Amino acid sequence: MNTALSWIKAYVPELECSDQEYFDKMTLSGTKVEGYERLDKNLEKIVVGQIEKIERHPDADKLIICQVNIGKETIQIVTGASNVKEGDKVPVVLDGGKVAGGHGGGPLPENGIKIKAGKLRGVPSDGMMCSIEELGSGRDMYPEAPEEGIYIFPENVTVGDDAVALLGLHDTIFEYEVTSNRVDCYSILGIAREAAATFRKPFVPPVVEVKENDEDVNSYVSVEVEDKELCTRYCARVCKNIKIAPSPEWMQRRLAASGIRPINNLVDITNYVMEEYGQPMHAFDLAAVAGNKIIVRRAKDGEEFQTLDGQVRRLDSDMLMICDAEKEIGIAGIMGGENSKITDQVETVLFEAATFNGANIRKSAKRLGLRTDASGKFEKGLDPNNAKAAIDRACQLIQELHCGEVVGGTVDVCAPMKENPSIKFEPEKINKFLGTDIAKEEMLSIFKMLEFEYDEAENTVKAPSFRQDIGCFADIAEEVARFYGYDKIPVSLPSGEATTGKLSFKLRIEEKAREIAEFCGFSQGMCYSFESPKVFDKLMLPEDSEYRKAVKIANPLGEDFSIMRTLPLNGMLTSLATNYNRRNKNVRLYELGNVYLPKQVPIKELPEERMQFTLGMYGEGDFFTMKGVVEEFFDSLGMNGKTVYDPNAGKEYLHPGRQADIIYKDVTVGYLGEVHPEVLDRYDIGTKAYIAVLDMPEIVKFATFDRKYEGIAKYPAVSRDISMVVPKDILVGQIEEMIAQRGGKILESYSLFDIYEGAQIKEGFKSVAYSISFRAKDRTLEEADVSAAMKKILNGLESMGIELRS
């Protein structure tokens, strides 16, 4: 959104400020200014001069010598311009003055070009006559300027006057960044209203009084709205005896400053009102409207329509059309049709000002690939009350600019309009919310400037219809903060009950998982949640496996990303394979990621998402290395209870003799093992690999960060080593369970330090050796205490078929 400051001042006449002050204060009050540019930048000592005499240059065929009256004196200027004649009034830059640029095109010099008196082919020249380009502008803003040559002023200007002022260049163009919820600020009046409130100056909007004839508009046109959900209001007015001509200079300058090229008075009026009121309008040639009837309806699928830009557009039934009794004549809120466009022969014009469903306009413009200034405003959702005001303003300008005669009355088809809510006015609550101490009267003065209504009896505030962004207490508090001044609000600590910011219990456990994994040499990996159904075959899952029941993606990128993963293994094994094939010798990776387990197939509700802590490695280390990492993790979470490793895990993708379910307090919390050799082949991994998967929701149930301090032992420990011959089918976990069960209160710890199988051990058996430590907290142990405990342990082991080695 661009505006000229002079246009803003037309509605805030008492506004006096520098460009930088306007920039700063408007941005601080919420109307963010992106930047600004002065039109008279680098224009100095430029006046109106009148050419009194022209002579040929004696030494140059293309140069002429002009005697130019600049008011106080007559100076001599040598020029190569071919479009000047005696009596012309032209802009003249005097000796020592500056111009913005030259005829060469391209970016203007940063500091302009300084003009000095000198000689051209031996003839003195005391200044320079200027083209509009040398004044830093162009024919978009000054269409009357010649394409090449000196700018010629009208005859009624005064010689010696400030030429820059006569051209309206003592002005500044401001560029705003307007948020989509502030539809009112997509208009000059909206920006001016904000400026008035920011600088605490009176806002003086244009007074609209339409001088109409005695005819009735209903005898000229009728309007029927078939879809009132997509068109909430449609206003139509008729102007006859239209006279097409250039619009006045002030209108052309304002439009050009907003980036709109002036065309003629009729088109310029619709564009002017769109910028001024933020309400797009359209003008139809009434002679081209069949049956003098407007019908607002949806298009039909497959219809084609030629828009004003000459392109044929393919329509569908979600697009809203403006039609007459026979045909479509415009795409609602986007662009009119070629079949009803305004030509120089137009006699009677039908003006349209309407409000359409913003979301529908946005979607229609996107499907058509046709985004216009009008659609850009309509898509944000306009105020229906603004349509009538805008169309009246357009008719006022038609009459004031002698462009035509306004027919009496307006055709106005309007659905019931929704009013903004009344919001309870609570000054104390606003002050507490903002951390301020603003008086109630000052808040009310701010609301009054913004045209909010205050109901003293009900103690409520209601925003005007053009402020559709105001809907709750926080919105009116924001208005108070904006215009009281964010810079005046003191720094204060938030009040109310609060807790020290920290990670949740679940996230602390995940953080601990990362810490332990990285401490043990693992690097974090991130794997895709989308997978291919072929993964199940690579992992050798049976056809009836529950893991094959996966959530299917509705619009997948391809088959390889068509389902949500139910196991975390594919991503981990793929990463290990990539590292192996790049000849990385020792690789340890971990991932914290979700699996997605549907509650039923086909899907009728969201699947269960379960966080899995997955570890994978190859190279240095084996099954027991991975088991040690798992136990290190459990220990860090305070899971000091008995952990059982059940070798009957039954995982098809793991080695049948080197896998185990991890069971903690009778709950399976995960599994680990060596990857099945056939699965390794399918992933192209040429070495043994090990994985562990821990189900984090189950881990969370048992984890605790509570720790109880125990002092250093006061009494010595007593150790005993035992070496046993154990049947191969007995696991060391069973042995440890028996030691813990029979050791009694004085048992402090036990550790496995040797396993041996060989010729010295009989077939079907293995040698297992443990170191067992005993300690009492209240006394020094005697031999009898230790011997009694060891006897119970040995009796228990013997009952399992275990023999002591002699």
Side-chain angles (χ1 to χ4, degrees):
M1 177 77 186
N2 293 348
T3 70
L5 185 59
S6 60
W7 200 352
I8 300 298
K9 288 183 176 180
Y11 308 127
V12 192
E14 295 183 18
L15 178 61
E16 294 294 337
C17 62
S18 67
D19 294 339
Q20 188 62 45
E21 186 180 2
Y22 182 87
F23 177 101
D24 294 337
K25 287 194 173 183
M26 289 293 284
T27 298
L28 195 60
S29 68
T31 308
K32 184 180 179 184
V33 182
E34 287 283 281
Y36 63 89
E37 182 178 5
R38 285 205 60 84
L39 296 180
D40 59 2
K41 180 182 178 183
N42 297 323
L43 300 182
E44 298 176 8
K45 298 179 68 174
I46 303 175
V47 299
V48 176
Q50 185 170 23
I51 302 173
E52 295 183 339
K53 184 178 179 181
I54 297 178
E55 296 176 337
R56 306 297 300 178
H57 193 291
D59 296 323
D61 294 338
K62 294 185 178 181
L63 296 179
I64 57 176
I65 304 170
C66 302
Q67 303 301 320
V68 183
N69 177 11
I70 59 171
K72 295 180 179 179
E73 61 178 320
T74 298
I75 62 174
Q76 179 172 284
I77 297 176
V78 179
T79 181
S82 59
N83 69 314
V84 294
K85 63 184 185 299
E86 291 180 357
D88 282 347
K89 294 180 179 179
V90 298
V92 176
V93 56
L94 305 177
D95 179 27
K98 274 187 178 182
V99 292
H103 289 291
L108 297 176
E110 179 65 27
N111 298 315
I113 299 174
K114 193 163 187 177
I115 303 301
K116 295 181 179 180
K119 291 184 178 181
L120 287 178
R121 290 290 187 95
V123 176
S125 181
D126 299 322
M128 185 180 81
M129 294 181 284
C130 304
S131 68
I132 201 66
E133 289 78 14
E134 286 165 330
L135 296 173
S137 192
R139 296 187 72 250
D140 283 344
M141 195 163 182
Y142 298 88
E144 75 278 9
E147 290 189 19
E148 294 183 1
I150 305 302
Y151 182 83
I152 310 295
F153 282 112
E155 293 183 2
N156 60 354
V157 302
T158 303
V159 173
D161 279 359
D162 184 348
V164 177
L166 287 171
L167 289 167
L169 291 174
H170 288 315
D171 203 353
T172 308
I173 306 299
F174 285 88
E175 180 184 359
Y176 306 86
E177 179 187 325
V178 183
T179 54
S180 58
N181 65 321
R182 289 302 305 275
V183 184
D184 58 303
C185 286
Y186 284 91
S187 68
I188 300 296
L189 288 176
I191 297 291
R193 191 180 288 109
E194 290 285 304
T198 298
F199 289 90
R200 305 295 175 99
K201 300 295 183 183
F203 172 60
V204 185
V207 177
V208 179
E209 294 178 354
V210 184
K211 294 182 180 180
E212 309 169 339
N213 64 19
D214 296 332
E215 297 177 278
D216 183 3
V217 69
N218 293 289
S219 63
Y220 280 81
V221 68
S222 62
V223 175
E224 179 185 345
V225 178
E226 293 185 1
D227 196 322
K228 288 185 170 61
E229 288 186 4
L230 298 185
C231 177
T232 53
R233 188 171 195 178
Y234 193 98
C235 298
R237 296 201 69 158
V238 173
C239 297
K240 66 178 189 177
N241 301 326
I242 296 296
K243 298 173 185 176
I244 300 295
S247 53
E249 283 188 10
W250 63 266
M251 181 175 284
Q252 293 185 28
R253 302 290 186 263
R254 287 180 176 181
L255 288 174
S258 297
I260 298 175
R261 183 171 63 88
I263 297 175
N264 59 48
N265 52 3
L266 190 60
V267 175
D268 290 353
I269 284 171
T270 60
N271 286 333
Y272 184 86
V273 173
M274 179 176 71
E275 290 300 301
E276 186 178 44
Y277 278 76
Q279 171 65 54
M281 293 182 57
H282 191 71
F284 299 102
D285 186 344
L286 189 59
V289 179
N292 284 21
K293 184 174 184 179
I294 293 292
I295 302 172
V296 185
R297 62 166 175 81
R298 290 176 182 260
K300 297 176 182 177
D301 287 327
E303 281 185 326
E304 292 185 343
F305 178 70
Q306 187 175 17
T307 47
L308 279 172
D309 58 0
Q311 299 294 316
V312 176
R313 312 283 177 177
R314 191 172 183 84
L315 310 176
D316 62 53
S317 59
D318 288 330
M319 297 176 186
L320 193 66
M321 301 297 294
I322 310 299
C323 310
D324 59 21
E326 298 174 355
K327 62 187 180 299
E328 299 87 358
I329 58 174
I331 304 175
I334 300 176
M335 187 177 281
E338 182 75 17
N339 55 10
S340 62
K341 70 178 182 179
I342 299 294
T343 65
D344 291 343
Q345 289 73 44
V346 66
E347 295 181 356
T348 306
V349 166
L350 169 66
F351 276 126
E352 163 199 284
T355 48
F356 305 110
N357 180 278
N360 178 264
I361 296 298
R362 182 183 64 81
K363 291 176 182 177
S364 298
K366 189 172 182 180
R367 286 198 298 276
L368 290 168
L370 179 62
R371 196 171 190 274
T372 60
D373 289 339
S375 70
K377 286 182 166 62
F378 276 122
E379 69 187 18
K380 294 171 177 66
L382 300 183
D383 173 20
N385 291 296
N386 201 32
K388 179 67 167 60
I391 203 169
D392 286 347
R393 174 65 165 158
C395 290
Q396 178 192 31
L397 291 170
I398 288 285
Q399 187 271 326
E400 287 182 352
L401 302 183
H402 308 291
C403 182
E405 181 182 349
V406 181
V407 173
T410 306
V411 179
D412 188 358
V413 179
C414 183
M417 285 187 278
K418 181 182 177 182
E419 291 189 0
N420 280 341
S422 294
I423 303 167
K424 190 171 180 61
F425 178 49
E426 301 171 284
E428 298 82 5
K429 187 177 178 181
I430 291 174
N431 277 321
K432 186 177 181 181
F433 184 67
L434 298 177
T436 55
D437 186 19
I438 306 171
K440 173 183 177 181
E441 292 72 20
E442 185 168 1
M443 294 184 190
L444 289 175
S445 71
I446 291 172
F447 294 145
K448 185 177 180 180
M449 287 190 305
L450 297 172
E451 301 179 32
F452 286 32
E453 295 178 11
Y454 174 59
D455 187 328
E456 189 172 0
E458 297 290 333
N459 193 34
T460 58
V461 173
K462 184 164 73 172
S465 61
F466 57 80
R467 289 299 303 273
Q468 299 179 46
D469 59 304
I470 304 296
C472 65
F473 161 78
D475 294 328
I476 65 171
E478 181 188 12
E479 298 304 296
V480 171
R482 288 203 300 132
F483 294 106
Y484 172 73
Y486 287 119
D487 55 330
K488 296 179 184 177
I489 297 176
V491 176
S492 59
L493 292 172
S495 60
E497 296 181 1
T499 57
T500 304
K502 62 179 182 179
L503 294 175
S504 66
F505 185 68
K506 172 179 173 291
L507 292 179
R508 288 177 67 194
I509 292 172
E510 291 176 12
E511 185 178 51
K512 182 61 69 173
R514 294 186 187 92
E515 180 184 316
I516 295 300
E518 291 166 11
F519 174 78
C520 294
F522 287 75
S523 299
Q524 185 170 11
M526 299 289 287
C527 302
Y528 289 115
S529 295
F530 298 165
E531 290 188 334
S532 167
K534 297 175 184 176
V535 166
F536 302 133
D537 293 330
K538 290 180 74 173
L539 294 174
M540 302 194 304
L541 292 178
E543 292 297 327
D544 59 351
S545 174
E546 288 293 315
Y547 293 117
R548 287 184 179 265
K549 297 176 182 178
V551 177
K552 295 182 180 179
I553 308 300
N555 54 341
L557 297 173
E559 186 184 4
D560 288 344
F561 302 95
S562 61
I563 62 170
M564 303 295 289
R565 66 177 179 178
T566 56
L567 287 167
L569 297 176
N570 177 65
M572 179 59 68
L573 292 174
T574 301
S575 297
L576 291 176
T578 300
N579 279 276
Y580 178 80
N581 289 297
R582 291 180 183 175
R583 302 193 178 188
N584 292 327
K585 293 183 178 179
N586 298 297
V587 175
R588 295 187 177 192
L589 300 174
Y590 77 93
E591 182 200 11
L592 280 163
N594 286 334
V595 294
Y596 305 85
L597 306 176
K599 298 170 185 176
Q600 57 187 28
V601 178
I603 304 298
K604 293 184 179 178
E605 57 182 317
L606 291 175
E608 181 184 9
E609 299 183 28
R610 297 186 72 85
M611 176 68 70
Q612 307 288 289
F613 179 28
T614 308
L615 299 155
M617 70 177 194
Y618 68 78
E620 292 182 2
D622 55 16
F623 177 93
F624 297 103
T625 305
M626 185 68 83
K627 179 171 173 283
V629 177
V630 172
E631 291 178 346
E632 181 80 19
F633 177 51
F634 284 1
D635 185 61
S636 70
L637 297 181
M639 295 172 60
N640 300 319
K642 182 62 181 175
T643 303
V644 176
Y645 295 87
D646 182 3
N648 301 311
K651 309 293 183 188
E652 297 82 0
Y653 39 83
L654 297 180
H655 194 293
R658 299 167 192 166
Q659 60 174 283
D661 276 336
I662 305 170
I663 301 171
Y664 184 81
K665 293 187 177 179
D666 299 326
V667 176
T668 302
V669 297
Y671 56 88
L672 80 161
E674 181 184 324
V675 181
H676 196 289
E678 190 172 338
V679 173
L680 291 173
D681 288 342
R682 295 180 182 186
Y683 279 92
D684 198 21
I685 300 175
T687 187
K688 292 181 179 180
Y690 303 88
I691 60 101
V693 178
L694 298 174
D695 189 32
M696 295 300 280
E698 295 294 346
I699 298 290
V700 169
K701 295 177 183 178
F702 298 110
T704 177
F705 290 103
D706 294 337
R707 300 290 185 269
K708 185 177 179 181
Y709 172 74
E710 292 185 3
I712 299 172
K714 296 180 180 180
Y715 302 98
V718 178
S719 297
R720 293 287 187 270
D721 293 345
I722 56 173
S723 181
M724 302 164 282
V725 177
V726 181
K728 282 188 176 182
D729 59 348
I730 294 178
L731 305 176
V732 292
Q734 295 172 282
I735 296 173
E736 292 177 357
E737 187 176 1
M738 181 60 70
I739 294 172
Q741 181 183 343
R742 295 293 184 102
K745 292 182 179 181
I746 63 171
L747 177 66
E748 182 179 59
S749 65
Y750 50 84
S751 62
L752 173 70
F753 67 85
D754 183 56
I755 296 180
Y756 172 75
E757 294 181 35
Q760 298 179 10
I761 305 300
K762 56 185 176 180
E763 189 174 348
F765 287 79
K766 58 188 174 184
S767 172
V768 178
Y770 269 89
S771 177
I772 304 174
S773 179
F774 301 92
R775 191 194 305 265
K777 294 182 179 181
D778 57 350
R779 60 191 174 87
T780 300
L781 292 176
E782 298 179 357
E783 179 63 28
D785 298 323
V786 177
S787 298
M790 284 299 299
K791 184 175 182 181
K792 290 181 181 179
I793 291 171
L794 294 174
N795 289 339
L797 295 174
E798 288 176 3
S799 67
M800 298 170 63
I802 296 173
E803 303 173 6
L804 283 177
R805 289 187 66 184
S806 55

